[in-house]
Amino acid sequence: SADVQAMQNAILGMENGKSEQEVAEYDMLFHSLIAKASGNEIIEWVFHIMQETYSRIFADNVTHLGNIGAEQHRRILLDIQIRDMDAARQHMIAHLDTTVRSVCKP
């Protein structure tokens, strides 16, 4: 579908980003596409109103993690493509855990 292709393009953008800012923009795009693809208007709305905050969070994440998120996003996208929502949920939890552990290191 178009959603899957757009997510794939966002991952490629993260992998090929020329700057931290560009990688962060593609990271945010991937997450916004997940929100959109959920079909849940509330999730989309919350993502939209929190966009400025998320932008700063993704920039911090990339500073700490580089484009490692692209690999994790690729796993999540594969789960979505094969419609294994339990695996997608578990991979997203692992992705968030990696991010929190990296960004919140003492």
Side-chain angles (χ1 to χ4, degrees):
S1 78
D3 289 335
V4 168
Q5 185 59 52
M7 287 180 222
Q8 179 67 32
N9 291 340
I11 292 168
L12 290 172
M14 282 186 73
E15 292 171 338
N16 299 315
K18 304 291 186 225
S19 68
E20 287 183 352
Q21 180 181 346
E22 189 176 355
V23 173
E25 288 171 5
Y26 281 110
D27 190 3
M28 185 159 162
L29 175 60
F30 179 82
H31 285 267
S32 71
L33 291 166
I34 292 281
K36 178 181 172 262
S38 75
N40 184 322
E41 291 178 10
I42 294 171
I43 290 173
E44 288 183 75
W45 179 73
V46 168
F47 195 91
H48 176 73
I49 63 170
M50 295 289 297
Q51 196 164 9
E52 187 175 317
T53 300
Y54 287 149
S55 180
R56 288 191 303 269
I57 290 169
F58 290 123
D60 287 345
N61 290 350
V62 170
T63 297
H64 289 90
L65 296 170
N67 66 0
I68 193 171
E71 179 183 327
Q72 295 171 331
H73 289 179
R74 197 168 286 290
R75 277 188 241 130
I76 294 163
L77 181 56
L78 177 60
D79 296 334
I80 291 169
Q81 288 174 297
I82 63 173
R83 300 187 186 280
D84 187 343
M85 295 306 108
D86 289 331
R89 185 177 299 106
Q90 290 306 311
H91 282 127
M92 182 57 87
I93 290 168
H95 174 50
L96 295 172
D97 185 58
T98 298
T99 300
V100 168
R101 287 178 190 273
S102 175
V103 173
C104 296
K105 279 184 181 177

